[in-house]
Amino acid sequence: MTMSEGELAVAELHFVRDRAIAPQPPPASMTGALGWVRANLLSTPFNIALTVIVVALLAWVIPELAKFLVFDAVWSGADRDACREAVQHREIGACWPFVWERLPYFVYGSYPIPERWRVDAFFVMLALGIVWLLWLEAPRRDIGVVYCFVVLPIAAFILLHGFEAIGLPVVDTVLWGGMLVTIVVASVGIVVSLPLGILLALGRRSHMPTVRLFSTLFIEFVRGVPLITVLFMASVMLPLFVPERLEPDKLLRALIGIALFASAYMAEVVRAGLQAIPKGQFEGAMAVGLGYWPMMRLIVLPQALKITIPNIVNTYIGLFKDTTLVFIVGIFDFLRAVEVARIDPKWATPVTSTTGYAVAAMFYLAFCYGMSRYARAMEARLAAGEKR
Amino acid sequence: MSIDVTGRPAPATDAFYNDPKVRSFAYQIALGVLVAVLVYGAVTNAIEHLERAHIASGFGFWDQAAGFDISQTLIFYSSQVSTYGRAFWVGLLNTLLVAGIGIVLATVLGFVVGISRLSKNWLLAKTAGGYVEIIRNIPLLLQLLFWYNAVLKALPEMRDSIVIARGAYLNNRGLFLPQPVFLHGFGVVIAAAAVAVAAAVVFTLAARRRQKHTGKRLPVAAVVLALLIGLPLVGFVLKGLPLTFNYPEVGRFNIAGGVEVLPEFAALLFGLSIYTAAFIAEVVRAGILAVSRGQIEAAYSLGLRPRPTLRLIVVPQAMRVIIPPLTSQYLNLTKNSTLAVAIGYPDLVQVFTGTVLNQTGQAVEVVAITMLVYLTISLVTSLLMNIYNRRVALVER
Amino acid sequence: MSETSRIKPTKLNTAVAVELDRVNKWYGDFHVLRDIDLKVMGGERIVICGPSGSGKSTMIRCINRLEEHQKGRIVVDGVELTSDLKKIDEIRREVGMVFQHFNLFPHLTVMENCTLAPIWVRKMPKKDAEDIAMQYLRRVKIPEQASKYPGQLSGGQQQRVAIARALCMNPKIMLFDEPTSALDPEMVKEVLDTMVGLAEDGMTMLVVTHEMGFARQVANRIVFMDEGQIVEANAPEEFFAHPKHERTKLFLSQILR
């Protein structure tokens, strides 16, 4: 039986709420810790199986890790006997005395002990520069840029390398090692790759055919080959190409290789940022009579760099990890220092190598993870700035 | 470039050196001259240095006797007879071997971890996330050294080898496995496999036609799997199991016979796979997230179940976003395989840019050839990637 | 507002198409649906309106289980909606949905969009599915776009394809979640006209929308929701002319000019 519209009872059709319903709390099974566990971990049989597997995995890994790093670890001792099972009659974890004793070597390499204050001074100046640039509320950050990209490199060179005229004896780069070298290589790479990358990116977008050709060739070539071949080219072939008297220092060759490599990758990151700038910006700048370089400096680059900061920081993280490759061309970076130290007969035990690698991992994790957190915070800030 | 108020270009009464065209020309000439001068200077210096050190030039070294051993060779190589040229091919094949297997392992692990990161299971998602964060922030070289020195080199000595199964021994010189020896009838098994592949293709096409005409579906995946495994197996059994093994014999200091998997290879393979998988996981995660939730809701509201939705709607769209950065990671893995030189795996760089360069001293030629190889791999991959992108681009107005 | 003439009266079923019985839903601690009671007869057209955040979209999304309710009963075409996957599948086959952002599958042609579900869910042969698809594409007046991709169509055309795609599964009930809110003004009419045509053919429709002209023309009932509750419901003329509840009056004063 069907009805036509008009026959629907008026009472059913018309409804007015007399009393508002206050919000109620959700049913108990939904809320609280129990509800969360049920929803997230135990909702289906498959889910339960997954939870069991993951819990089993974690229950194996985490206690083992804690045992090695803390509970079974040896905290003091003079030589390998402190870390040998046969002598100590217990299961041995990490051999921390090995790390305490070799720590100066890890940090300074073979830098002469009386001159090590210069390295410390360099570290302090560098930390100052980093905080100045990265802390967004810092005063006069434009001076900070000049400090980081001009003052600091010069001061670092004088401090670390030495300058006879003012009484700082020259310390050959052969003696530099450990964290000092890693941080120098990373810093030089960071400081050089950004300006050079910007130049290359602009070159690739240039209207002048030869400039565009050279930039593109350089970028595609460097990005297509492994970093090791670039380092080999720099360390083996560079001495061939320059006249005898200019024989470049080993560390310098590695620095050049890393800097050129990082610049090519940075160029692509900056180019992506430039492509995201609407044409109207360029046209507006030209309409007010700005020449090419002022337009780039004042209007385009600040915007392009701002939106690619997360990608720039990611490239820097890659650069920091890539500094370990100088190991292969004979430069004593932090990783190499650990490698050399772990085979020292004074500390030869089954756990020495793993302890050394653990320390190295923590060092790199701290820096790289720190940088990636910064990048993500920047990304969130930029996204918030775009929301209306 | 100056534009005056009415929009016309400024009259050409400026000095010629302010004309942008003249300027551009001048810059380019200057750049060209600069590059030419640098190149000329570099080349003359190089020639002078090489002459003084009595190092030969040219590619004659390619046919000279090598005189050194290589620990892993996929093709015939002998230190007495083989040339530097052959050493190059041995190194290249080793690189392709570790890169090829590494890419497969990294892809499988990367997809598993990437999908896990999106799981509703909080524990799984966070654990996968932890894996990605930790592995991505530790340098690959450190991970390789760890695998090689702390894990594989810490295995027991030859005489205390771990016995995994009959004829499989694990010690600090490698993993020794029985070597399969294919007897006379094995050709039948290969033929059966070929037939199975053909049958699988035919069956899949027939099932598709059937669905098109009647709407009914057949269990294609199960049948194909049964064919690919079953047919060769049947052939194997019928021909009387034509397969024996050459078992390794454990001596006091050596193992004779069998197949040896070098610890260098294993360390490089694990390190590369685990490291690259962390990056692939992020690529996969981004690709899946790129498919908007509305697509899935539309599919569900039409009555489509989760698995067909995944197959027909989500995966095709996600793949478009995943494949370009995925191939970029594959290239990274191939380039990262050059770290083999740090642990002594005889890949192209270790053999050619290492030993051969040291022995011949011809740095320029050797490094140039090596770079050319990797450049070719990169450019070919980029080309294929561009073709793929153009073909699958979503059609828009 | 221009005079939109009312469509011809259509026959209603006594069978209940959709019933919501004291339905409650929470997002975490937020009580988004509070004691919803609603009975929709077969062939009825219900327009649901209300301020944003009132839970209107959430309510209709509970009907085809795109959202899950925690308390109360939902019965669709005689089938109760629970966690039982078979029941959910059955209900989804009988309920079609049109989304605010169309959600067409961009990697498939218009024809493939429409034939996907009939082939894979109803297991229809391809030819039959295509015939049905062409029939509905003609109904929404864009048969010539069958081999185009969604990216090549205007917003209005895409939404009409979305309607055709939902119709290809022969649903008994159609849900519309703000179908014209994402369209440029000149394309709203073509979509509304299509929906009016559906109403004239006797389809049961639940439409969340701000288009009050459409409501006047087509709706049997207008349901006003605020803060997760149904505040007032009435036939269109009464609803617009004599709103009874304070909040209804406030809402109408804001949207009608």
Side-chain angles (χ1 to χ4, degrees):
Chain A
M1 185 183 80
T2 58
M3 304 185 285
S4 70
E5 288 177 63
E7 285 169 18
L8 271 180
V10 173
E12 259 191 58
L13 199 59
H14 180 217
F15 168 80
V16 179
R17 181 162 297 282
D18 47 8
R19 222 172 347 151
I21 304 176
Q24 307 283 315
S29 64
M30 255 189 80
T31 55
L34 205 60
W36 181 87
V37 167
R38 286 183 73 199
N40 283 305
L41 302 180
L42 305 173
S43 52
T44 69
F46 181 63
N47 223 350
I48 296 178
L50 279 179
T51 306
V52 166
I53 296 176
V54 173
V55 168
L57 191 68
L58 292 177
W60 176 56
V61 168
I62 294 183
E64 284 294 316
L65 212 57
K67 268 173 53 181
F68 181 81
L69 291 175
V70 180
F71 299 115
D72 286 344
V74 174
W75 296 90
S76 65
D79 62 17
R80 60 191 289 253
D81 283 339
C83 297
R84 282 172 62 207
E85 276 183 31
V87 172
Q88 300 292 330
H89 304 296
R90 67 175 177 95
E91 212 170 301
I92 303 280
C95 189
W96 296 122
F98 158 65
V99 175
W100 311 146
E101 205 222 328
R102 305 256 77 202
L103 197 57
Y105 181 66
F106 290 162
V107 176
Y108 302 103
S110 309
Y111 208 88
I113 297 183
E115 308 296 327
R116 285 188 180 173
W117 64 270
R118 289 153 61 174
V119 178
D120 297 331
F122 164 67
F123 283 155
V124 167
M125 289 184 74
L126 184 64
L128 179 67
I130 292 174
V131 168
W132 199 347
L133 268 194
L134 297 188
W135 183 34
L136 297 165
E137 321 292 318
R140 297 311 308 271
R141 286 175 75 221
D142 49 341
I143 305 187
V145 171
V146 173
Y147 173 81
C148 277
F149 283 78
V150 178
V151 173
L152 189 56
I154 299 176
F157 178 77
I158 294 177
L159 270 177
L160 295 173
H161 182 261
F163 200 54
E164 293 293 337
I166 58 172
L168 286 174
V170 171
V171 178
D172 199 304
T173 57
V174 162
L175 298 173
W176 301 15
M179 263 185 229
L180 167 63
V181 168
T182 295
I183 292 188
V184 164
V185 174
S187 309
V188 169
I190 288 175
V191 163
V192 171
S193 65
L194 191 55
L196 200 52
I198 293 174
L199 278 177
L200 284 168
L202 293 176
R204 195 165 179 174
R205 286 168 52 101
S206 166
H207 296 298
M208 295 188 262
T210 30
V211 174
R212 194 166 63 238
L213 182 69
F214 280 132
S215 305
T216 311
L217 279 180
F218 179 85
I219 294 174
E220 289 305 318
F221 175 80
V222 172
R223 277 163 49 97
V225 296
L227 175 55
I228 287 196
T229 54
V230 172
L231 284 175
F232 274 171
M233 193 169 90
S235 68
V236 166
M237 282 164 68
L238 204 58
L240 294 178
F241 291 146
V242 298
E244 193 77 44
R245 50 198 167 73
L246 276 187
E247 166 98 26
D249 178 281
K250 263 179 93 178
L251 180 62
L252 185 62
R253 289 179 234 165
L255 285 175
I256 292 176
I258 295 252
L260 289 177
F261 189 78
S263 304
Y265 281 84
M266 189 59 78
E268 285 300 277
V269 168
V270 173
R271 189 167 80 105
L274 288 171
Q275 270 173 333
I277 307 289
K279 267 191 93 178
Q281 297 288 313
F282 295 88
E283 292 166 354
M286 287 199 285
V288 284
L290 281 178
Y292 181 81
W293 289 108
M295 167 177 76
M296 283 301 162
R297 193 167 51 88
L298 298 169
I299 311 280
V300 177
L301 281 177
Q303 294 183 59
L305 291 178
K306 190 169 145 213
I307 47 180
T308 55
I309 284 183
N311 275 334
I312 290 179
V313 177
N314 280 332
T315 311
Y316 282 163
I317 296 176
L319 174 57
F320 197 83
K321 289 187 293 178
D322 285 342
T323 61
T324 52
L325 265 69
V326 297
F327 175 127
I328 296 176
V329 289
I331 308 289
F332 254 84
D333 75 321
F334 179 73
L335 188 56
R336 191 150 225 233
V338 170
E339 264 297 285
V340 165
R342 74 178 179 90
I343 55 178
D344 186 353
K346 180 175 172 196
W347 290 100
T349 75
V351 294
T352 311
S353 298
T354 319
T355 311
Y357 290 138
V359 168
M362 287 192 264
F363 171 75
Y364 286 105
L365 256 179
F367 273 85
C368 294
Y369 188 68
M371 282 194 265
S372 84
R373 296 293 306 190
Y374 183 79
R376 234 170 304 176
M378 279 298 109
E379 230 172 325
R381 250 172 149 265
L382 283 171
E386 302 292 311
K387 281 208 196 108
R388 278 189 281 168
Chain B
M1 262 179 283
S2 47
I3 307 172
D4 74 12
V5 161
T6 58
R8 278 176 282 130
T13 53
D14 275 334
F16 81 96
Y17 51 77
N18 275 332
D19 178 11
K21 283 218 187 70
V22 171
R23 273 208 156 140
S24 150
F25 201 61
Y27 285 148
Q28 294 183 73
I29 298 275
L31 180 65
V33 166
L34 182 66
V35 170
V37 163
L38 284 176
V39 168
Y40 179 73
V43 168
T44 42
N45 277 323
I47 294 178
E48 199 185 304
H49 279 130
L50 291 174
E51 266 178 17
R52 219 168 321 142
H54 299 294
I55 294 177
S57 273
F59 297 95
F61 71 92
W62 194 265
D63 298 313
Q64 282 174 13
F68 64 92
D69 261 318
I70 302 180
S71 52
Q72 177 181 296
T73 64
L74 291 177
I75 54 176
F76 172 76
Y77 175 89
S78 138
S79 56
Q80 284 95 22
V81 176
S82 301
T83 60
Y84 287 130
R86 183 140 267 247
F88 168 84
W89 291 113
V90 170
L92 183 59
L93 280 174
N94 283 339
T95 291
L96 294 175
L97 178 71
V98 80
I101 303 182
I103 283 176
V104 170
L105 291 180
T107 307
V108 169
L109 185 57
F111 269 80
V112 167
V113 174
I115 294 173
S116 301
R117 274 198 82 172
L118 297 168
S119 166
K120 280 212 207 82
N121 187 320
W122 182 87
L123 261 184
L124 184 62
K126 289 292 172 227
T127 310
Y131 165 88
V132 168
E133 284 304 313
I134 293 178
I135 299 292
R136 285 202 320 172
N137 286 317
I138 299 181
L140 176 58
L141 185 54
L142 174 51
Q143 296 185 37
L144 280 182
L145 291 173
F146 171 76
W147 282 112
Y148 187 60
N149 292 310
V151 176
L152 293 179
K153 281 281 167 218
L155 288 171
E157 298 283 327
M158 182 73 74
R159 54 176 180 268
D160 302 318
S161 302
I162 303 175
V163 182
I164 304 175
R166 166 140 190 241
Y169 302 100
L170 186 61
N171 56 50
N172 66 4
R173 296 252 293 276
L175 173 65
F176 295 86
L177 294 171
Q179 181 176 38
V181 176
F182 300 108
L183 298 177
H184 181 67
F186 203 78
V188 171
V189 178
I190 307 242
V195 167
V197 169
V201 170
V202 166
F203 178 75
T204 312
L205 290 174
R208 234 174 257 178
R209 277 196 73 211
R210 185 160 181 266
Q211 182 186 13
K212 202 168 141 184
H213 287 285
T214 67
K216 297 209 193 65
R217 293 192 59 207
L218 291 171
V220 174
V223 170
V224 163
L225 206 63
L227 276 176
L228 289 177
I229 297 183
L231 270 186
L233 201 64
V234 164
F236 188 68
V237 168
L238 283 182
K239 265 293 179 175
L241 314 177
L243 183 70
T244 59
F245 291 94
N246 185 348
Y247 287 97
E249 302 293 321
V250 186
R252 193 164 163 78
F253 295 109
N254 236 319
I255 289 187
V259 162
E260 183 182 356
V261 178
L262 290 179
E264 289 80 15
F265 176 78
L268 191 60
L269 190 63
F270 289 158
L272 281 175
S273 307
I274 292 179
Y275 185 74
T276 313
F279 290 87
I280 291 181
E282 281 301 278
V283 168
V284 168
R285 188 173 80 109
I288 296 180
L289 285 178
V291 180
S292 75
R293 174 121 195 105
Q295 293 287 300
I296 302 177
E297 289 182 348
Y300 286 177
S301 71
L302 286 167
L304 222 56
R305 288 185 149 213
R307 213 172 301 156
T309 303
L310 211 58
R311 195 162 46 89
L312 299 167
I313 307 294
V314 178
V315 167
Q317 295 187 57
M319 274 305 157
R320 276 178 178 76
V321 179
I322 288 177
I323 299 238
L326 186 65
T327 45
S328 174
Q329 288 305 323
Y330 288 167
L331 273 180
N332 281 344
L333 189 149
T334 311
K335 286 188 283 178
N336 282 336
S337 71
T338 55
L339 263 67
V341 76
I343 57 173
Y345 174 73
D347 82 317
L348 179 63
V349 168
Q350 204 268 359
V351 167
F352 203 59
T353 328
T355 317
V356 172
L357 190 152
N358 274 332
Q359 288 196 334
T360 65
Q362 298 191 240
V364 177
E365 290 88 345
V366 168
V367 172
I369 295 176
T370 314
M371 286 181 151
L372 202 65
V373 169
Y374 286 99
L375 256 181
T376 312
I377 298 178
S378 293
L379 289 177
V380 166
T381 313
S382 290
L383 214 72
L384 292 174
M385 184 47 35
N386 278 333
I387 296 177
Y388 169 82
N389 266 338
R390 230 166 313 188
R391 279 199 57 202
V392 298
L394 291 176
V395 184
E396 288 179 10
R397 289 211 266 197
Chain C
M1 202 164 25
S2 61
E3 284 299 305
T4 40
S5 53
R6 184 99 188 135
I7 63 171
K8 286 193 285 293
T10 56
K11 301 217 180 289
L12 298 179
N13 270 314
T14 44
V16 177
V18 179
E19 180 173 355
L20 278 78
D21 180 22
R22 301 189 42 142
V23 171
N24 280 279
K25 178 175 170 60
W26 285 265
Y27 279 137
D29 278 336
F30 178 53
H31 197 173
V32 60
L33 290 178
R34 308 179 196 177
D35 273 354
I36 302 284
D37 284 309
L38 185 67
K39 230 193 271 196
V40 181
M41 312 300 283
E44 251 200 293
R45 282 93 53 193
I46 313 275
V47 164
I48 304 160
C49 62
S52 62
S54 53
K56 348 184 263 292
S57 289
T58 312
M59 182 176 81
I60 65 166
R61 284 155 64 91
C62 282
I63 295 176
N64 68 353
R65 202 66 168 187
L66 287 184
E67 304 277 358
E68 212 178 296
H69 62 283
Q70 276 88 42
K71 264 170 94 172
R73 280 170 69 237
I74 299 182
V75 182
V76 178
D77 202 32
V79 179
E80 182 171 349
L81 187 57
T82 61
S83 317
D84 185 343
L85 291 173
K86 281 224 175 65
K87 297 266 161 56
I88 296 177
D89 282 341
E90 245 186 274
I91 288 173
R92 283 179 175 168
R93 264 173 281 177
E94 302 306 321
V95 175
M97 186 155 183
V98 175
F99 299 85
Q100 181 178 356
H101 295 287
F102 334 137
N103 287 338
L104 291 180
F105 306 131
H107 60 299
L108 303 175
T109 62
V110 162
M111 174 61 78
E112 285 166 347
N113 263 275
C114 293
T115 57
L116 182 84
I119 291 177
W120 292 93
V121 179
R122 292 212 193 274
K123 312 240 191 289
M124 244 187 242
K126 189 164 162 190
K127 189 80 181 35
D128 298 352
E130 287 183 344
D131 289 338
I132 294 182
M134 275 316 281
Q135 182 191 328
Y136 284 114
L137 284 175
R138 261 179 246 122
R139 175 105 164 262
V140 301
K141 299 200 176 51
I142 42 173
E144 70 283 357
Q145 310 288 355
S147 50
K148 293 251 176 72
Y149 283 89
Q152 297 172 293
L153 304 178
S154 73
Q157 290 171 322
Q158 288 188 51
Q159 193 62 302
R160 285 187 279 155
V161 170
I163 295 175
R165 177 177 71 172
L167 290 174
C168 283
M169 283 295 282
N170 247 320
K172 298 214 181 77
I173 302 159
M174 284 285 278
L175 307 174
F176 293 82
D177 189 357
E178 306 217 29
T180 56
S181 299
L183 294 176
D184 289 335
E186 58 280 10
M187 294 192 256
V188 169
K189 182 176 187 311
E190 68 194 52
V191 174
L192 288 180
D193 285 344
T194 314
M195 290 163 67
V196 170
L198 269 185
E200 282 171 345
D201 292 336
M203 174 68 77
T204 315
M205 294 163 65
L206 277 89
V207 184
V208 174
T209 185
H210 299 295
E211 295 288 333
M212 293 303 145
F214 171 79
R216 264 187 231 263
Q217 197 180 355
V218 150
N220 299 114
R221 256 191 293 169
I222 302 193
V223 169
F224 171 66
M225 278 182 73
D226 192 11
E227 287 185 0
Q229 316 153 55
I230 296 182
V231 170
E232 184 165 347
N234 213 335
E237 313 85 49
E238 273 298 300
F239 183 83
F240 290 117
H242 305 119
K244 299 284 190 307
H245 199 284
E246 278 314 302
R247 279 192 273 173
T248 319
K249 293 182 193 165
L250 180 60
F251 177 71
L252 284 176
S253 70
Q254 285 168 336
I255 66 160
L256 294 176
R257 262 166 277 120

